[in-house]
Structure formats: C-alpha cells, structure tokens
C-alpha cells in the first residue's frame, strides 16, 4: 500500500541513483517483465542509463562490467544495488538506520510486482561479503572507461 511507503528523498545522491529511484518509485506495485528480480533491476538500469541492457557481475574480481563499482556498507546509498549470492537482486530505496534499509525488489510475493521490504544487513567493512554485495552504477559509456577508473582507485 502506497501510504505505508516513505516519501522518496533523493537529496545529495549521485545522478544515476536519483534516476534509479525515480523509476523505482514510478513502478511500485507493477509487474516488470515476467516478474523476476533481474528484469526489474535491468529495466531500472536501462532507464537510468538510457539503454543499458544488462548488468554483468564478476564477484571474484569485485567488478561489474562497464557500469560501476562495488561499495562497502558504509558507502551504501539509496539507489545502490544489492546482489544476494543466492541469486536475488534489488535496489536500496531508503536507509532507516546503520543496518536497516528499505529494499525495492520483485518476485518475493505473488503476484510478482515491485515491492518495498525492510531488510537488515549485518554490519561489515567488506566490499564483497559472504551473503551479498552492494554496488553503484557510474556514468560510463564504455567498458574501458570503467576499467580505467577501477585501476585508478
């Protein structure tokens, strides 16, 4: 129910995070594609980036192809992605406190529509954790630009 969802706040967020949140807010309660989590997040990324089709993760190398970087929990912001190693993915909608967040995701309920759920992440300094990782899209147009940026970090 929309009345239970806090008002969207994008103050101080990177441009792509804002675009991801605006898109997410516009599709709450809607089924995206076949209703799976990846279709929702791919579509959100495509809208935010103006055409990106897919997010290709490489957890072992701590990169994801051509579009951004992994971030620690301390760096986590609304509009960042959460990738659970059992295969689920969602978008941070809002930070509630140090370890609790609202997560926008799809296929956790029937019918499979985009919903907001409260989640807790065990505090950690790890960039790539044991059960999940966080990552942020960056405004690169080409894979080599992202790779150069990652090498400079």
């Amino acid at each position: 129910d929309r009345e239970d969802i806090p008002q969207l706040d994008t103050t101080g967020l990177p441009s792509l995070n804002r675009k991801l949140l605006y898109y997410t807010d516009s599709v709450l309660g809607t089924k995206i594609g076949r209703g799976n989590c990846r279709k929702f997040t791919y579509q959100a990324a495509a809208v935010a980036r103006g055409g990106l089709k897919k997010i290709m993760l490489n957890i072992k190398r701590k990169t994801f192809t051509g579009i951004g970087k992994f971030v620690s929990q301390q760096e986590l912001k609304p509009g960042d992605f959460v990738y659970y190693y059992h295969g689920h993915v969602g978008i941070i909608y809002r930070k509630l406190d140090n370890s609790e967040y609202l997560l926008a995701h799809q296929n956790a309920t029937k019918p499979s529509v985009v919903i907001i759920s409260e989640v807790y992440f065990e505090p950690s300094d790890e960039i790539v954790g044991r059960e999940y990782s966080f990552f942020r899209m960056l405004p690169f147009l080409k894979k080599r630009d992202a790779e150069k940026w990652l090498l400079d970090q």
Side-chain angles (χ1 to χ4, degrees), residues 4-6 9 13 17 21 71-82 84 90-105 115-126 132-136:
D4 299 337
I5 299 170
D9 180 11
L13 294 177
N17 288 49
L21 291 171
V71 295
S72 69
Q73 186 173 345
Q74 290 76 22
E75 299 171 287
L76 192 60
K77 297 178 185 225
D80 288 341
F81 291 86
V82 179
Y84 292 89
I91 298 171
I92 295 294
Y93 189 78
R94 187 172 207 169
K95 184 174 184 173
L96 299 177
D97 67 26
N98 289 336
S99 299
E100 292 184 33
Y101 300 83
L102 295 179
L103 180 71
H105 57 125
I115 61 170
I116 301 287
S117 300
E118 200 167 309
V119 294
Y120 173 83
F121 300 116
E122 192 68 37
S124 173
D125 292 333
E126 295 179 11
Y132 45 78
S133 292
F134 310 113
F135 56 98
R136 176 171 305 138

Side-chain angles (χ1 to χ4, degrees), residues 17 33 45 59 61-62 68 74 84 107 116 122 141 145-146:
N17 288 49
I59 301 300
R61 297 179 78 193
K62 300 182 184 179
Q74 290 76 22
Y84 292 89
N107 88 345
I116 301 287
E122 192 68 37
L141 299 176
D145 294 335

